[in-house]
Amino acid sequence: MKWVHWYVPVTNRATGRYAIGVAVSDSPTGPFRDALGHPLVENNEIDPTVFIDDDGQAYLYWGNPNLWYLKLNSDMTSYSGGPARIPLTTAGFGTRDGDPNRPTLFEEGPWVYKRNGLYYLVFAAKCCSEFIAYSTAPGPTGPWTYRGTIMPTQGSSFTNHPGVIDFNGGSYFFYHNGALPGGGGFTRSVAVEKFDYSADGGFPTINMTAAGAPQAGTLNPYVRQEAETIAWGSGIETEPSGEGGMNVGWIENGDWIKVKGAAFGSGAASFTARVASAGSGGTIELRLDGSTGRVVGSCQVPVTGGWQSWTSVSCSVNGATGTRDLYLRFTGGSGYLFNVNWWQFNAAA
C-alpha cells in the first residue's frame, strides 16, 4: 500500500518543546493516524515541508529561527544521519534591518521545490508582519542565493506562509491571509493566485486579491458532485459523512453554496441531491449567477429521522443553460435544517 504522509508541527507534551510529527493515511483526505507514536524530529522549531528530488531522495526542511534539513529514508518516517543546519547568510537569504539576532530575512514557513533544474526555497520573511521572499540554488541544500520579494506585506494577518505548484500547464502561488469574516493572524484563510515565471525563472510581484486564480476548467454538473465542491459559501460547514467522505451540514435558513462555472450546455431537465435531516427539512433553491439570482429549480428536503439518515430527492429544472455560476441556496424554518452529501443534474433529452 502507498501511504499519504502529512508532516505537521506539534508540541511534545512530555518535554513542552516544538517538534515535527508525521501522520499517514491511505487517502489524502484522511483519516490520518500518528505513524510513530512520537515526534519524527524534535529541536523546538516548526514549519515542516518535504521535497522529493528527481533521484527519489526525500528531504525534510523546517525551522524558526534557524533553517534545518534532513534526508528522509524511503519509508518517509525515518531518516539517515542527523538534522543539518543550512547557513543563514545575507547573500543567501537577504538582509534584515534592526535585529542583530536575526541578520537575514528568513523567518519561517519554508517551501522547497525544483523547476527546470533550479531549486527554489520560498519562505516567510521578516516578522512581523511577514512578507514572502525566495532564494534559489543549484542543489537541494544550497548554496542559496537571495532573489527577492514575491508577495509584499499586506492583508490582515501578521503571518503569511507560501506554497507553489505547477498544475495543468499553469503556475500557482498559495498563501494565507485573514480575509474571511473574523479573520486575523490566528484565524487564517488559504488563497491562491496564478502567475508566470520570468525567462530566468524569477517570480513576479504577486499581490493578494479577492478574485484569486481563474478557473482552470468548467465543472460538469451532469456527473455526481460532492456537496463540499465549493467556490464560496455562506454559513455552512463540512463534517465526515456516514456514507463516506464529507458532507455539508450545519445548514440554516439563507445559507448558500456557490459552484463556479457549471457547464450546462443546451440545458438541464432535473436535479438530484443526497440529503439527510433530523431538523425540520427545507428547500434547496437552484439559482444562477448569484445567491438571489434567478431560480431554475426547487427541491424539497424531508425530515429523514437523522443527520446521517440519507435519502435522495429530485426536482425539475428549467432554464439552466450555458456556462453559469450555480448557487445552492437553502431555506426553511429555524435551527439547523438538513445536510447535503452530493448532487447531480440530468441533461434534457
PDB file of all heavy atoms in Angstrom, residues 156-157 159-161 174-192 208-209 232:
ATOM      1  N   SER A 156      -4.625  41.245   6.463  1.00  0.00           N
ATOM      2  CA  SER A 156      -4.953  41.440   7.877  1.00  0.00           C
ATOM      3  C   SER A 156      -4.382  40.363   8.786  1.00  0.00           C
ATOM      4  O   SER A 156      -4.741  40.297   9.957  1.00  0.00           O
ATOM      5  CB  SER A 156      -6.473  41.500   8.055  1.00  0.00           C
ATOM      6  OG  SER A 156      -7.085  40.322   7.574  1.00  0.00           O
ATOM      7  N   SER A 157      -3.512  39.505   8.257  1.00  0.00           N
ATOM      8  CA  SER A 157      -2.832  38.501   9.074  1.00  0.00           C
ATOM      9  C   SER A 157      -1.360  38.891   9.203  1.00  0.00           C
ATOM     10  O   SER A 157      -0.713  39.187   8.203  1.00  0.00           O
ATOM     11  CB  SER A 157      -2.946  37.111   8.437  1.00  0.00           C
ATOM     12  OG  SER A 157      -2.134  36.181   9.120  1.00  0.00           O
ATOM     13  N   THR A 159       1.015  36.986   9.819  1.00  0.00           N
ATOM     14  CA  THR A 159       1.841  35.901   9.295  1.00  0.00           C
ATOM     15  C   THR A 159       1.332  35.499   7.919  1.00  0.00           C
ATOM     16  O   THR A 159       0.159  35.665   7.602  1.00  0.00           O
ATOM     17  CB  THR A 159       1.836  34.692  10.243  1.00  0.00           C
ATOM     18  OG1 THR A 159       2.625  33.644   9.696  1.00  0.00           O
ATOM     19  CG2 THR A 159       0.435  34.170  10.463  1.00  0.00           C
ATOM     20  N   ASN A 160       2.241  34.967   7.087  1.00  0.00           N
ATOM     21  CA  ASN A 160       1.881  34.539   5.736  1.00  0.00           C
ATOM     22  C   ASN A 160       2.860  33.459   5.308  1.00  0.00           C
ATOM     23  O   ASN A 160       4.070  33.716   5.291  1.00  0.00           O
ATOM     24  CB  ASN A 160       1.927  35.717   4.763  1.00  0.00           C
ATOM     25  CG  ASN A 160       1.403  35.355   3.389  1.00  0.00           C
ATOM     26  OD1 ASN A 160       0.922  34.248   3.157  1.00  0.00           O
ATOM     27  ND2 ASN A 160       1.493  36.299   2.467  1.00  0.00           N
ATOM     28  N   HIS A 161       2.369  32.263   5.007  1.00  0.00           N
ATOM     29  CA  HIS A 161       3.210  31.150   4.589  1.00  0.00           C
ATOM     30  C   HIS A 161       2.891  30.760   3.149  1.00  0.00           C
ATOM     31  O   HIS A 161       1.731  30.793   2.743  1.00  0.00           O
ATOM     32  CB  HIS A 161       3.011  29.944   5.504  1.00  0.00           C
ATOM     33  CG  HIS A 161       3.542  30.159   6.882  1.00  0.00           C
ATOM     34  ND1 HIS A 161       3.562  29.155   7.837  1.00  0.00           N
ATOM     35  CD2 HIS A 161       4.074  31.235   7.490  1.00  0.00           C
ATOM     36  CE1 HIS A 161       4.085  29.612   8.958  1.00  0.00           C
ATOM     37  NE2 HIS A 161       4.398  30.873   8.770  1.00  0.00           N
ATOM     38  N   PHE A 174       0.237  29.804  -3.552  1.00  0.00           N
ATOM     39  CA  PHE A 174      -0.680  29.725  -2.421  1.00  0.00           C
ATOM     40  C   PHE A 174      -0.124  30.547  -1.262  1.00  0.00           C
ATOM     41  O   PHE A 174       1.087  30.597  -1.039  1.00  0.00           O
ATOM     42  CB  PHE A 174      -0.864  28.276  -1.969  1.00  0.00           C
ATOM     43  CG  PHE A 174      -1.612  27.420  -2.967  1.00  0.00           C
ATOM     44  CD1 PHE A 174      -0.965  26.869  -4.061  1.00  0.00           C
ATOM     45  CD2 PHE A 174      -2.963  27.168  -2.800  1.00  0.00           C
ATOM     46  CE1 PHE A 174      -1.646  26.087  -4.982  1.00  0.00           C
ATOM     47  CE2 PHE A 174      -3.658  26.387  -3.708  1.00  0.00           C
ATOM     48  CZ  PHE A 174      -3.001  25.849  -4.800  1.00  0.00           C
ATOM     49  N   TYR A 175      -1.024  31.144  -0.517  1.00  0.00           N
ATOM     50  CA  TYR A 175      -0.627  31.950   0.636  1.00  0.00           C
ATOM     51  C   TYR A 175      -1.788  31.963   1.623  1.00  0.00           C
ATOM     52  O   TYR A 175      -2.848  31.388   1.354  1.00  0.00           O
ATOM     53  CB  TYR A 175      -0.270  33.379   0.203  1.00  0.00           C
ATOM     54  CG  TYR A 175      -1.385  34.122  -0.499  1.00  0.00           C
ATOM     55  CD1 TYR A 175      -2.199  35.018   0.188  1.00  0.00           C
ATOM     56  CD2 TYR A 175      -1.628  33.941  -1.864  1.00  0.00           C
ATOM     57  CE1 TYR A 175      -3.222  35.707  -0.437  1.00  0.00           C
ATOM     58  CE2 TYR A 175      -2.659  34.624  -2.513  1.00  0.00           C
ATOM     59  CZ  TYR A 175      -3.449  35.506  -1.787  1.00  0.00           C
ATOM     60  OH  TYR A 175      -4.458  36.174  -2.428  1.00  0.00           O
ATOM     61  N   HIS A 176      -1.594  32.598   2.772  1.00  0.00           N
ATOM     62  CA  HIS A 176      -2.736  32.730   3.663  1.00  0.00           C
ATOM     63  C   HIS A 176      -2.879  34.171   4.148  1.00  0.00           C
ATOM     64  O   HIS A 176      -1.937  34.949   4.156  1.00  0.00           O
ATOM     65  CB  HIS A 176      -2.707  31.723   4.820  1.00  0.00           C
ATOM     66  CG  HIS A 176      -1.650  31.927   5.851  1.00  0.00           C
ATOM     67  ND1 HIS A 176      -0.716  30.965   6.147  1.00  0.00           N
ATOM     68  CD2 HIS A 176      -1.395  32.948   6.691  1.00  0.00           C
ATOM     69  CE1 HIS A 176       0.071  31.384   7.119  1.00  0.00           C
ATOM     70  NE2 HIS A 176      -0.317  32.586   7.464  1.00  0.00           N
ATOM     71  N   ASN A 177      -4.117  34.488   4.504  1.00  0.00           N
ATOM     72  CA  ASN A 177      -4.427  35.832   4.966  1.00  0.00           C
ATOM     73  C   ASN A 177      -5.542  35.743   6.005  1.00  0.00           C
ATOM     74  O   ASN A 177      -5.930  34.657   6.413  1.00  0.00           O
ATOM     75  CB  ASN A 177      -4.836  36.734   3.779  1.00  0.00           C
ATOM     76  CG  ASN A 177      -5.994  36.153   2.979  1.00  0.00           C
ATOM     77  OD1 ASN A 177      -6.866  35.469   3.520  1.00  0.00           O
ATOM     78  ND2 ASN A 177      -6.010  36.427   1.688  1.00  0.00           N
ATOM     79  N   GLY A 178      -6.047  36.875   6.411  1.00  0.00           N
ATOM     80  CA  GLY A 178      -7.163  36.901   7.350  1.00  0.00           C
ATOM     81  C   GLY A 178      -8.374  37.546   6.730  1.00  0.00           C
ATOM     82  O   GLY A 178      -9.095  38.290   7.395  1.00  0.00           O
ATOM     83  N   ALA A 179      -8.617  37.262   5.433  1.00  0.00           N
ATOM     84  CA  ALA A 179      -9.611  38.000   4.666  1.00  0.00           C
ATOM     85  C   ALA A 179     -11.054  37.590   4.953  1.00  0.00           C
ATOM     86  O   ALA A 179     -11.971  38.368   4.676  1.00  0.00           O
ATOM     87  CB  ALA A 179      -9.328  37.844   3.174  1.00  0.00           C
ATOM     88  N   LEU A 180     -11.278  36.400   5.477  1.00  0.00           N
ATOM     89  CA  LEU A 180     -12.651  35.987   5.752  1.00  0.00           C
ATOM     90  C   LEU A 180     -13.201  36.721   6.976  1.00  0.00           C
ATOM     91  O   LEU A 180     -12.440  37.229   7.798  1.00  0.00           O
ATOM     92  CB  LEU A 180     -12.706  34.473   5.978  1.00  0.00           C
ATOM     93  CG  LEU A 180     -12.431  33.601   4.754  1.00  0.00           C
ATOM     94  CD1 LEU A 180     -12.485  32.134   5.137  1.00  0.00           C
ATOM     95  CD2 LEU A 180     -13.435  33.894   3.650  1.00  0.00           C
ATOM     96  N   PRO A 181     -14.524  36.803   7.111  1.00  0.00           N
ATOM     97  CA  PRO A 181     -15.094  37.458   8.295  1.00  0.00           C
ATOM     98  C   PRO A 181     -14.537  36.858   9.579  1.00  0.00           C
ATOM     99  O   PRO A 181     -14.497  35.639   9.747  1.00  0.00           O
ATOM    100  CB  PRO A 181     -16.600  37.169   8.144  1.00  0.00           C
ATOM    101  CG  PRO A 181     -16.803  37.015   6.666  1.00  0.00           C
ATOM    102  CD  PRO A 181     -15.558  36.342   6.161  1.00  0.00           C
ATOM    103  N   GLY A 182     -14.083  37.723  10.470  1.00  0.00           N
ATOM    104  CA  GLY A 182     -13.474  37.280  11.717  1.00  0.00           C
ATOM    105  C   GLY A 182     -12.034  36.851  11.584  1.00  0.00           C
ATOM    106  O   GLY A 182     -11.435  36.362  12.544  1.00  0.00           O
ATOM    107  N   GLY A 183     -11.444  37.040  10.399  1.00  0.00           N
ATOM    108  CA  GLY A 183     -10.083  36.590  10.152  1.00  0.00           C
ATOM    109  C   GLY A 183      -9.034  37.487  10.789  1.00  0.00           C
ATOM    110  O   GLY A 183      -9.282  38.650  11.106  1.00  0.00           O
ATOM    111  N   GLY A 184      -7.848  36.919  10.962  1.00  0.00           N
ATOM    112  CA  GLY A 184      -6.724  37.645  11.541  1.00  0.00           C
ATOM    113  C   GLY A 184      -5.497  36.767  11.567  1.00  0.00           C
ATOM    114  O   GLY A 184      -5.406  35.763  10.856  1.00  0.00           O
ATOM    115  N   GLY A 185      -4.544  37.110  12.416  1.00  0.00           N
ATOM    116  CA  GLY A 185      -3.281  36.389  12.464  1.00  0.00           C
ATOM    117  C   GLY A 185      -3.407  34.943  12.879  1.00  0.00           C
ATOM    118  O   GLY A 185      -2.618  34.099  12.450  1.00  0.00           O
ATOM    119  N   PHE A 186      -4.386  34.621  13.725  1.00  0.00           N
ATOM    120  CA  PHE A 186      -4.574  33.242  14.169  1.00  0.00           C
ATOM    121  C   PHE A 186      -5.876  32.636  13.653  1.00  0.00           C
ATOM    122  O   PHE A 186      -6.238  31.537  14.037  1.00  0.00           O
ATOM    123  CB  PHE A 186      -4.515  33.178  15.697  1.00  0.00           C
ATOM    124  CG  PHE A 186      -3.164  33.544  16.246  1.00  0.00           C
ATOM    125  CD1 PHE A 186      -2.958  34.771  16.850  1.00  0.00           C
ATOM    126  CD2 PHE A 186      -2.083  32.679  16.120  1.00  0.00           C
ATOM    127  CE1 PHE A 186      -1.710  35.123  17.340  1.00  0.00           C
ATOM    128  CE2 PHE A 186      -0.832  33.028  16.609  1.00  0.00           C
ATOM    129  CZ  PHE A 186      -0.643  34.250  17.221  1.00  0.00           C
ATOM    130  N   THR A 187      -6.577  33.358  12.798  1.00  0.00           N
ATOM    131  CA  THR A 187      -7.767  32.840  12.115  1.00  0.00           C
ATOM    132  C   THR A 187      -7.567  33.109  10.622  1.00  0.00           C
ATOM    133  O   THR A 187      -8.098  34.070  10.083  1.00  0.00           O
ATOM    134  CB  THR A 187      -9.047  33.515  12.639  1.00  0.00           C
ATOM    135  OG1 THR A 187      -8.852  34.938  12.694  1.00  0.00           O
ATOM    136  CG2 THR A 187      -9.391  33.000  14.031  1.00  0.00           C
ATOM    137  N   ARG A 188      -6.782  32.246  10.001  1.00  0.00           N
ATOM    138  CA  ARG A 188      -6.282  32.479   8.646  1.00  0.00           C
ATOM    139  C   ARG A 188      -7.116  31.726   7.617  1.00  0.00           C
ATOM    140  O   ARG A 188      -7.743  30.729   7.928  1.00  0.00           O
ATOM    141  CB  ARG A 188      -4.824  32.025   8.552  1.00  0.00           C
ATOM    142  CG  ARG A 188      -3.946  32.533   9.678  1.00  0.00           C
ATOM    143  CD  ARG A 188      -2.652  31.751   9.780  1.00  0.00           C
ATOM    144  NE  ARG A 188      -1.944  32.057  11.000  1.00  0.00           N
ATOM    145  CZ  ARG A 188      -0.886  31.366  11.443  1.00  0.00           C
ATOM    146  NH1 ARG A 188      -0.433  30.335  10.743  1.00  0.00           N
ATOM    147  NH2 ARG A 188      -0.300  31.704  12.561  1.00  0.00           N
ATOM    148  N   SER A 189      -7.087  32.215   6.393  1.00  0.00           N
ATOM    149  CA  SER A 189      -7.739  31.545   5.279  1.00  0.00           C
ATOM    150  C   SER A 189      -6.730  31.383   4.155  1.00  0.00           C
ATOM    151  O   SER A 189      -5.850  32.221   3.960  1.00  0.00           O
ATOM    152  CB  SER A 189      -8.941  32.351   4.801  1.00  0.00           C
ATOM    153  OG  SER A 189      -8.589  33.707   4.576  1.00  0.00           O
ATOM    154  N   VAL A 190      -6.856  30.290   3.403  1.00  0.00           N
ATOM    155  CA  VAL A 190      -5.916  29.983   2.321  1.00  0.00           C
ATOM    156  C   VAL A 190      -6.421  30.606   1.022  1.00  0.00           C
ATOM    157  O   VAL A 190      -7.612  30.551   0.718  1.00  0.00           O
ATOM    158  CB  VAL A 190      -5.757  28.461   2.151  1.00  0.00           C
ATOM    159  CG1 VAL A 190      -4.825  28.144   0.995  1.00  0.00           C
ATOM    160  CG2 VAL A 190      -5.222  27.847   3.445  1.00  0.00           C
ATOM    161  N   ALA A 191      -5.514  31.189   0.250  1.00  0.00           N
ATOM    162  CA  ALA A 191      -5.851  31.814  -1.023  1.00  0.00           C
ATOM    163  C   ALA A 191      -4.816  31.407  -2.060  1.00  0.00           C
ATOM    164  O   ALA A 191      -3.739  30.894  -1.726  1.00  0.00           O
ATOM    165  CB  ALA A 191      -5.896  33.337  -0.877  1.00  0.00           C
ATOM    166  N   VAL A 192      -5.136  31.637  -3.351  1.00  0.00           N
ATOM    167  CA  VAL A 192      -4.229  31.227  -4.424  1.00  0.00           C
ATOM    168  C   VAL A 192      -4.304  32.231  -5.558  1.00  0.00           C
ATOM    169  O   VAL A 192      -5.366  32.784  -5.842  1.00  0.00           O
ATOM    170  CB  VAL A 192      -4.573  29.797  -4.921  1.00  0.00           C
ATOM    171  CG1 VAL A 192      -5.999  29.729  -5.445  1.00  0.00           C
ATOM    172  CG2 VAL A 192      -3.586  29.336  -5.979  1.00  0.00           C
ATOM    173  N   MET A 208      -2.129  40.052  -3.050  1.00  0.00           N
ATOM    174  CA  MET A 208      -3.363  39.410  -2.630  1.00  0.00           C
ATOM    175  C   MET A 208      -4.537  40.008  -3.394  1.00  0.00           C
ATOM    176  O   MET A 208      -4.597  41.220  -3.596  1.00  0.00           O
ATOM    177  CB  MET A 208      -3.592  39.603  -1.132  1.00  0.00           C
ATOM    178  CG  MET A 208      -2.529  39.011  -0.246  1.00  0.00           C
ATOM    179  SD  MET A 208      -2.929  39.278   1.509  1.00  0.00           S
ATOM    180  CE  MET A 208      -1.475  38.545   2.279  1.00  0.00           C
ATOM    181  N   THR A 209      -5.454  39.160  -3.831  1.00  0.00           N
ATOM    182  CA  THR A 209      -6.673  39.637  -4.473  1.00  0.00           C
ATOM    183  C   THR A 209      -7.875  38.936  -3.875  1.00  0.00           C
ATOM    184  O   THR A 209      -7.753  37.879  -3.244  1.00  0.00           O
ATOM    185  CB  THR A 209      -6.663  39.377  -5.999  1.00  0.00           C
ATOM    186  OG1 THR A 209      -6.841  37.977  -6.247  1.00  0.00           O
ATOM    187  CG2 THR A 209      -5.373  39.865  -6.644  1.00  0.00           C
ATOM    188  N   TRP A 232     -17.345  29.220  -3.109  1.00  0.00           N
ATOM    189  CA  TRP A 232     -17.575  30.142  -1.998  1.00  0.00           C
ATOM    190  C   TRP A 232     -18.809  29.644  -1.272  1.00  0.00           C
ATOM    191  O   TRP A 232     -19.604  28.895  -1.828  1.00  0.00           O
ATOM    192  CB  TRP A 232     -17.786  31.573  -2.498  1.00  0.00           C
ATOM    193  CG  TRP A 232     -17.595  32.626  -1.439  1.00  0.00           C
ATOM    194  CD1 TRP A 232     -18.574  33.300  -0.781  1.00  0.00           C
ATOM    195  CD2 TRP A 232     -16.357  33.099  -0.916  1.00  0.00           C
ATOM    196  NE1 TRP A 232     -18.012  34.175   0.125  1.00  0.00           N
ATOM    197  CE2 TRP A 232     -16.657  34.077   0.057  1.00  0.00           C
ATOM    198  CE3 TRP A 232     -15.016  32.798  -1.183  1.00  0.00           C
ATOM    199  CZ2 TRP A 232     -15.675  34.758   0.774  1.00  0.00           C
ATOM    200  CZ3 TRP A 232     -14.040  33.473  -0.472  1.00  0.00           C
ATOM    201  CH2 TRP A 232     -14.363  34.433   0.493  1.00  0.00           C
TER     202      TRP A 232
END
